[in-house]
């Protein structure tokens, strides 16, 4: 009798599973119309609707035809969101704008209807290079954190973060990163120029994260996650702190992970590495091959600055980590165009760097993508280390004017259209002039992004099964196709 009951239960489970499978609609291109949105170099086209195209039968593409192949049956990682960092610099510049321009900026970034729909917010715990000065939240030597106070952040940073959150709504995802512990906790007794955390202060430093989360909660800011250390292998002239892979692994499993869990913050998403793609495989291997450390890890974060050495962007390393550790989330945590020059506000190469990186990173398994400063002034700052950079939007504080660079619109080709919870869809191209990625939103709608890296116009077929739509993309352009 027991065997019969088990058999009946097993068959019922199979039938229910089949019914669930049957309920999932299979995407078909038949009768679909593609809406095309385009941004082009040296043009007024900025996420502009440029075409509507229907599908026609194309059973077998020819070698002479350029194609983007989309296979809706092949689904990969779940998309979380796109956004940028609200640093001290961004918030300070924001505070100096008129209320009209402040609203324009918030709408541009955080409104899905009127802007590009950012949902991710990153910020710095303690100061970073994009702060007007170096600061911490405690008095010097306060190992027990009795003087912990985030009053510094209440002037500029927290007000802007709250306004961004209010516009995003419930879908906002907020995380933070430290650049350096207080100087007295470090081997070089300096927040700047690297140094390492002293062993006797590791527990105090772990407690610091807990204190920060609690203070943010008091401000009504819900913390989704954190990274352990920004750029842990870079000795910078600004705030920095060095962790070898073994250092980060041991700090996580011996101090930070248990401390967060004990404080009731075991649900906070901990991201390791938070540095360039060049060493990410070695860092992943060292931390994630340790079972005790791995249980605290939500994801591995990475930047794009491996190009400082003359290297190309190491996209394959992202794919390698994804293959080696498929249960670990990949998140792009920072990228910007370095060496500010106001004469290059409209330089397409800066924008193309974003498009190329985002397409490759998503195709290699990335679930979330975070730009660096969302706003800087007309000098690429403020920055106490004089490390001036580009942002997608700059403010000319002399004229109360916002300058939207092409990078803003290129990022928007992803963030405006891909929804939280979307699944990446199998996508490939037949020619190297163009690159592409696709997502299917929770509502079933498909989104394909195509970047034309070449100096020539390209006509391509968007192919789904035996159906295709012929589309033309101008030189140095990006398109988003919704269908």
């Amino acid at each position: 009798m027991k065997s019969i009951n088990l058999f009946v239960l097993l068959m019922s489970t199979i039938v229910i599973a089949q019914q669930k499978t049957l309920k999932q609609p299979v995407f078909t291109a038949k009768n679909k119309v593609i809406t095309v949105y385009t941004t082009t170099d040296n043009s007024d086209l900025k996420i502009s609707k440029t075409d509507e195209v229907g599908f026609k039968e194309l059973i077998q593409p020819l070698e002479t035809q350029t194609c983007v192949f989309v296979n809706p049956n092949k689904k990969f990682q779940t998309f979380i969101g796109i956004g940028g960092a609200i640093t001290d610099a961004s918030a300070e510049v924001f505070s100096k704008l008129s209320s009209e321009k402040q609203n324009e900026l918030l709408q541009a970034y955080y409104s899905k209807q009127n802007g590009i729909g950012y949902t991710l917010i990153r910020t710095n715990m303690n100061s970073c290079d994009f702060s007007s000065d170096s600061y911490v939240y405690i008095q010097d030597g306060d190992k027990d954190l009795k003087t912990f106070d985030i009053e510094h952040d209440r002037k500029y940073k927290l007000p802007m973060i709250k306004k961004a959150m209010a516009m995003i709504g419930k879908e906002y995802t907020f995380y933070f990163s430290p650049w350096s512990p207080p100087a007295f906790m470090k081997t070089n007794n300096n927040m700047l120029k690297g140094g390492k955390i002293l062993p006797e202060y590791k527990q105090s430093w772990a407690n610091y994260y807990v204190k920060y989360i609690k203070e943010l909660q008091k401000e009504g800011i819900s913390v989704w996650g954190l990274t352990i250390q920004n750029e842990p292998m870079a000795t910078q002239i600004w705030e920095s702190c060095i962790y070898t892979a073994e250092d980060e692994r041991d700090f996580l499993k011996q101090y930070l992970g248990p401390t967060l869990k004990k404080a009731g913050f075991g649900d906070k998403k901990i991201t390791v590495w938070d540095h360039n793609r060049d060493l990410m495989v070695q860092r992943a291997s060292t931390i994630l091959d340790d079972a005790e450390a791995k249980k605290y890890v939500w994801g591995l974060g990475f930047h794009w600055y491996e190009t400082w050495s003359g290297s190309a962007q190491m996209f394959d390393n992202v794919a390698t980590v994804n293959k080696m550790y498929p249960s670990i989330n990949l998140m792009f945590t920072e990228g910007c165009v370095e060496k500010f020059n106001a004469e290059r506000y409209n330089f397409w190469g800066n924008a193309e760097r974003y498009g190329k990186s985002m397409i490759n990173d998503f195709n290699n398994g990335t679930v979330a993508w975070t730009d660096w400063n969302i706003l800087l002034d007309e000098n690429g700052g403020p920055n106490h280390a004089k490390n001036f950079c580009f942002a997608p939007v700059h403010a000319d504080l002399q004229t109360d004017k916002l300058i939207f660079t092409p990078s803003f619109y290129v990022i928007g080709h992803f963030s405006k259209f891909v929804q939280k919870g979307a699944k990446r869809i199998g996508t490939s191209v037949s020619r190297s002039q163009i690159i592409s990625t696709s997502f299917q939103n929770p509502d079933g709608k498909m989104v394909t992004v195509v970047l034309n890296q070449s100096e020539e116009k390209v006509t391509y077929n968007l192919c789904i099964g035996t159906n295709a739509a012929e589309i033309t993309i101008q030189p140095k352009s990006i398109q988003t196709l919704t269908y």
Side-chain angles (χ1 to χ4, degrees):
M1 182 64 72
K2 189 175 181 180
S3 297
I4 293 172
N5 288 338
L6 286 172
F7 175 76
V8 171
L9 180 62
L10 177 62
M11 292 304 295
S12 299
T13 302
I14 292 171
V15 170
I16 291 169
Q18 288 175 336
Q19 288 174 341
K20 285 183 177 180
T21 302
L22 290 172
K23 286 180 182 178
Q24 295 174 351
V26 176
F27 183 89
T28 174
K30 189 176 180 181
N31 299 323
K32 291 283 194 307
V33 174
I34 298 172
T35 303
V36 183
Y37 299 88
T38 304
T39 297
T40 299
D41 184 24
N42 292 320
S43 164
D44 291 333
L45 296 177
K46 295 177 174 64
I47 320 182
S48 304
K49 183 177 175 180
T50 52
D51 208 353
E52 288 189 343
V53 187
F55 284 92
K56 297 179 181 179
E57 187 176 72
L58 180 61
I59 296 175
Q60 175 58 63
L62 303 174
E63 287 186 317
T64 53
Q65 294 175 303
T66 300
C67 297
V68 175
F69 298 103
V70 177
N71 186 345
N73 300 320
K74 301 301 177 184
K75 296 179 171 63
F76 301 95
Q77 77 271 22
T78 302
F79 177 82
I80 291 175
I82 293 169
I86 297 181
T87 57
D88 290 299
S90 294
E92 187 176 332
V93 173
F94 179 79
S95 74
K96 295 175 182 177
L97 290 169
S98 65
S99 58
E100 179 187 0
K101 290 300 177 181
Q102 287 184 354
N103 185 61
E104 181 184 343
L105 183 87
L106 292 170
Q107 288 279 343
Y109 268 123
Y110 299 109
S111 169
K112 203 79 168 181
Q113 187 69 31
N114 303 318
I116 62 173
Y118 270 16
T119 59
L120 286 186
I121 303 172
R122 182 192 189 209
T123 200
N124 49 291
M125 178 175 77
N126 290 340
S127 57
C128 65
D129 47 334
F130 279 92
S131 303
S132 290
D133 56 351
S134 293
Y135 66 88
V136 295
Y137 303 124
I138 58 173
Q139 293 178 11
D140 192 46
D142 180 14
K143 180 179 180 179
D144 298 324
L145 314 184
K146 292 178 180 178
T147 59
F148 197 94
D149 188 350
I150 61 170
E151 184 60 33
H152 182 283
D153 293 357
R154 292 191 181 98
K155 187 174 183 181
Y156 299 123
K157 201 160 55 173
L158 296 184
M160 187 180 186
I161 289 171
K162 290 177 183 179
K163 287 180 180 179
M165 284 169 41
M167 187 156 288
I168 296 168
K170 294 179 181 179
E171 287 200 340
Y172 81 85
T173 300
F174 174 88
Y175 71 102
F176 66 84
S177 307
W179 267 243
S180 175
F184 74 89
M185 293 186 181
K186 296 174 65 183
T187 55
N188 63 345
N189 195 33
N190 193 338
M191 289 185 72
L192 318 182
K193 302 177 182 178
K196 301 178 76 168
I197 187 164
L198 291 162
E200 61 265 34
Y201 292 115
K202 287 182 178 178
Q203 186 58 58
S204 293
W205 184 229
N207 295 340
Y208 205 97
Y209 296 76
V210 170
K211 286 275 194 180
Y212 190 54
I213 293 170
K214 287 181 176 179
E215 289 301 306
L216 289 170
Q217 285 184 335
K218 290 177 185 177
E219 295 286 335
I221 297 172
S222 178
V223 175
W224 170 82
L226 56 103
T227 73
I228 296 176
Q229 169 64 42
N230 178 76
E231 299 185 348
M233 287 305 296
T235 300
Q236 306 283 25
I237 61 171
W238 54 84
E239 288 83 347
S240 43
C241 185
I242 302 301
Y243 289 78
T244 65
E246 290 77 10
D247 291 337
E248 188 174 13
R249 176 198 65 198
D250 294 345
F251 177 67
L252 172 61
K253 71 178 182 178
Q254 295 171 10
Y255 296 96
L256 184 59
T259 300
L260 287 170
K261 185 176 181 181
K262 184 179 178 181
F265 296 139
D267 62 330
K268 304 308 176 191
K269 308 298 190 289
I270 300 176
T271 297
V272 300
W273 188 222
D274 198 7
H275 204 165
N276 298 330
R277 299 185 189 96
D278 49 6
L279 301 181
M280 66 187 293
V281 178
Q282 183 262 349
R283 183 68 50 140
S285 298
T286 302
I287 296 175
L288 300 175
D289 285 352
D290 185 298
E292 188 63 23
K294 185 181 179 183
K295 73 181 186 181
Y296 294 111
V297 179
W298 171 83
L300 186 139
F302 61 95
H303 301 182
W304 72 13
Y305 306 112
E306 64 268 19
T307 53
W308 69 269
S309 65
S311 169
Q313 290 179 301
M314 302 300 291
F315 300 123
D316 288 347
N317 287 348
V318 182
T320 299
V321 173
N322 191 33
K323 290 174 184 175
M324 291 171 66
Y325 304 99
S327 66
I328 299 300
N329 296 282
L330 292 165
M331 178 165 66
F332 185 89
T333 47
E334 185 186 316
C336 75
V337 177
E338 312 91 324
K339 298 180 181 178
F340 176 76
N341 179 353
E343 294 180 1
R344 294 171 77 84
Y345 273 139
N346 293 309
F347 177 56
W348 181 256
N350 292 350
E352 189 172 273
R353 183 175 174 183
Y354 278 93
K356 184 177 179 180
S357 180
M358 295 177 82
I359 288 173
N360 279 280
D361 289 339
F362 285 130
N363 283 344
N364 288 328
T366 298
V367 302
W369 212 94
T370 323
D371 186 34
W372 189 207
N373 303 279
I374 67 164
L375 176 69
L376 293 173
D377 66 18
E378 66 271 28
N379 300 308
N383 182 304
H384 73 82
K386 311 301 180 187
N387 176 37
F388 302 121
C389 297
F390 280 98
V393 183
H394 286 262
D396 186 335
L397 296 177
Q398 308 306 311
T399 60
D400 193 39
K401 178 183 177 185
L402 293 176
I403 302 159
F404 291 85
T405 74
S407 299
F408 172 85
Y409 299 102
V410 168
I411 298 170
H413 273 271
F414 303 84
S415 60
K416 186 175 179 66
F417 300 97
V418 185
Q419 300 169 2
K420 187 174 183 178
K423 289 283 188 180
R424 183 174 65 84
I425 300 301
T427 304
S428 62
V429 297
S430 65
R431 293 289 180 268
S432 62
Q433 287 89 339
I434 58 175
I435 56 176
S436 182
T437 191
S438 300
F439 289 86
Q440 186 170 24
N441 283 328
D443 63 4
K445 199 162 191 177
M446 299 286 290
V447 177
T448 296
V449 181
V450 179
L451 177 70
N452 182 4
Q453 306 174 96
S454 75
E455 301 283 354
E456 303 294 331
K457 180 172 67 175
V458 175
T459 298
Y460 63 92
N461 284 282
L462 179 72
C463 301
I464 299 178
T466 57
N467 293 284
E470 189 175 89
I471 299 164
T472 297
I473 184 169
Q474 296 300 317
K476 297 297 180 183
S477 297
I478 189 168
Q479 289 179 334
T480 298
L481 319 175
T482 63
Y483 50 99

